[in-house]
């Protein structure tokens, strides 16, 4: 049945695809010959109707093909349908997914295959631009190479180049306009207070420029960099105490404990509405996991006293107590305290 589903996708027969799915075919079926899933095939064929049917049936948007490691979004950018790309992104596809063979992101494929409209959509969604292929080209170098070797369709590449330049200029403008982030990174408490009094957006996100502050709010950076008084001002101004940054999926409390900032840990852990047990997307660690992992006893004790759970497991299966045994030893006072709390 699932092989018939794949054949129906190849034939661009959406009605037959729907019928096979209703009969029990696996929406994430992978063809053993090509290594592609049914969704990847439909995406590469620029077939939005079939893509939507597969997604509605639960097709896996995150998996990679078994030969090149590309995702359905990569295939969509090779196929050139903005509608397909949009459906995949809205279904949660990672816009900066990197193929392990080439190092290509979906944007690189959109540029390579000369689809400026697809490139523009991804650029508007905030894709990273300061990335490199696995064969040594930056995105800009890769694009310059394509401009040089293509004789047909160069006007499409030039159109895409205008979109790239516009995005780079907008990134520069937004980064320069984020005065609150500049004041926080400089540790300028007076400047932060003045900007908050002015009414700046306390939760404004820094643009994605492939830098250390990508997608961060001012509070995330203050917590990471140890600016306790600034963090207090931001929180009093209504900053989101559980704001998540996109790189590691961490919240301000993770940032504080990861770097051993005890006063900040106490400040944030005591804030109304704080999620003491938020598990980061990278490794499933809570702030307590991170505090113990990095050997910060005081931060760990603050979290335990605040009521942090000790029974949650990271993606490695370890609880805070497991980490305490590894980091401090079974006989250490903190290890005993974590065990008792558990």
């Amino acid at each position: 049945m699932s092989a018939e589903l794949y054949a129906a996708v190849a034939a661009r027969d959406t009605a037959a695809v729907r019928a096979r799915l209703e009969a029990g075919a696996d929406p994430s079926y992978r063809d053993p010959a090509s290594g592609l899933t049914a969704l990847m095939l439909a995406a590469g064929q620029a077939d939005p109707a079939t893509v939507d049917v597969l997604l509605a049936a639960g097709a896996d948007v995150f998996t990679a093909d078994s030969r090149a490691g590309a995702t359905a979004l990569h295939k969509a950018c090779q196929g050139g349908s903005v509608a397909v790309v949009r459906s995949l992104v809205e279904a949660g596809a990672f816009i900066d997914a990197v193929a392990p063979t080439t190092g290509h992101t979906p944007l690189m494929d959109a540029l390579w295959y000369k689809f400026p409209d697809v490139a523009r959509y991804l650029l508007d969604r905030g894709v990273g631009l300061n990335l490199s292929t696995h064969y040594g080209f930056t995105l800009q170098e890769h694009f310059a190479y394509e401009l040089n070797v293509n004789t047909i369709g160069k006007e499409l590449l030039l159109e895409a180049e205008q979109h790239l330049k516009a995005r780079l200029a907008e990134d520069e403008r937004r980064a320069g306009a984020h005065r609150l982030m500049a004041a926080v990174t400089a540790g300028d408490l007076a400047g932060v207070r003045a900007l908050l009094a002015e009414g700046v957006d306390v939760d404004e996100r820094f643009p994605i420029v492939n830098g250390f502050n990508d997608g961060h709010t001012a509070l995330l950076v203050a917590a990471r960099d140890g600016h306790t008084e600034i963090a207090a001002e931001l929180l009093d101004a209504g900053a989101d105490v559980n704001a998540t940054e996109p790189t590691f999926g961490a919240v301000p409390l993770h940032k504080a404990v990861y770097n051993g900032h005890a006063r900040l840990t106490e400040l944030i852990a005591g804030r109304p509405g704080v999620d003491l047990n938020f598990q980061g997307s990278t490794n499933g660690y809570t702030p307590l996991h991170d505090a113990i992992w990095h050997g910060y006893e005081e931060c760990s004790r603050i979290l335990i006293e605040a009521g942090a759970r000790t029974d949650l497991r990271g993606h490695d299966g370890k609880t805070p107590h497991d980490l305490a045994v590894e980091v401090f030893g079974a006989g250490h006072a903190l290890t005993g305290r974590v065990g008792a709390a558990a």
Side-chain angles (χ1 to χ4, degrees):
M1 184 66 67
S2 295
E4 291 176 6
L5 168 72
Y6 193 85
V9 172
R12 303 172 189 265
D13 188 343
T14 306
V17 169
R18 185 179 288 107
R20 297 301 184 279
L21 289 168
E22 290 173 352
D26 179 6
S28 296
Y29 173 78
R30 185 186 301 275
D31 175 55
S34 67
L36 302 179
T37 65
L39 181 62
M40 292 172 191
L41 179 62
Q45 292 184 164
D47 186 348
T50 301
V51 165
D52 288 344
V53 166
L54 289 166
L55 288 173
D60 187 352
V61 73
F62 304 109
T63 191
D65 79 70
S66 59
R67 291 190 174 183
T71 66
L73 186 55
H74 285 92
K75 299 304 176 185
C77 291
Q78 296 168 14
S81 168
V82 176
V84 170
V85 170
R86 182 183 297 109
S87 290
L88 294 172
V89 170
E90 291 179 353
F94 291 113
I95 59 174
D96 282 327
V98 176
T101 49
T102 60
H104 283 199
T105 63
L107 176 62
M108 290 176 184
D109 279 353
L111 295 172
W112 193 15
Y113 285 85
K114 306 174 190 173
F115 293 118
D117 290 344
V118 172
R120 183 174 187 177
Y121 173 81
L122 293 172
L123 288 164
D124 288 345
R125 296 286 300 194
V127 292
L129 301 184
N130 296 311
L131 301 170
S132 299
T133 67
H134 289 343
Y135 46 88
F137 283 175
T138 65
L139 184 148
Q140 284 83 2
E141 289 169 341
H142 180 269
F143 186 72
Y145 181 83
E146 291 305 315
L147 274 174
N148 184 56
V149 300
N150 276 274
T151 57
I152 297 175
K154 184 168 286 192
E155 71 281 0
L156 296 173
L157 289 171
L158 291 173
E159 181 182 343
E161 183 180 37
Q162 294 307 307
H163 299 324
L164 269 175
K165 288 180 176 179
R167 165 63 194 285
L168 286 167
E170 176 62 11
D171 283 350
E172 185 175 356
R173 184 200 67 77
R174 288 185 59 206
H178 203 314
R179 295 177 295 154
L180 183 60
M181 188 67 78
V184 169
T185 54
D188 181 2
L189 177 60
V192 169
R193 285 173 173 162
L195 289 166
L196 293 174
E198 185 182 313
V200 298
D201 180 3
V202 71
D203 285 324
E204 181 184 357
R205 298 272 178 172
F206 199 74
I208 304 296
V209 295
N210 301 118
F212 204 30
N213 295 338
D214 277 8
H216 284 54
T217 65
L219 179 59
L220 282 157
V221 172
R224 181 195 70 203
D225 294 352
H227 299 308
T228 305
E229 291 180 299
I230 288 176
E233 293 286 341
L234 295 170
L235 287 166
D236 288 345
D240 182 359
V241 72
N242 296 314
T244 308
E245 51 87 8
T247 307
F248 298 102
V251 293
L253 196 53
H254 280 106
K255 299 290 188 180
V257 304
Y258 193 89
N259 292 281
H261 303 311
R263 286 182 58 213
L264 262 167
T265 300
E266 190 171 24
L267 171 72
I268 298 172
R271 199 74 184 180
V274 67
D275 186 352
L276 295 172
N277 305 303
F278 188 90
Q279 293 183 271
S281 59
T282 299
N283 55 14
Y285 277 13
T286 65
L288 182 56
H289 280 90
D290 273 355
I292 295 172
W293 178 28
H294 284 263
Y296 293 120
E297 293 183 50
E298 189 175 359
C299 291
S300 301
R301 290 192 179 96
I302 290 168
L303 291 172
I304 293 170
E305 289 171 3
R309 289 176 59 179
T310 57
D311 60 329
L312 295 175
R313 296 183 181 276
H315 297 165
D316 55 8
K318 294 177 182 178
T319 66
H321 184 261
D322 295 327
L323 289 177
V325 171
E326 291 180 8
V327 174
F328 297 105
H332 194 279
L334 180 65
T335 304
R337 188 165 186 177
V338 177

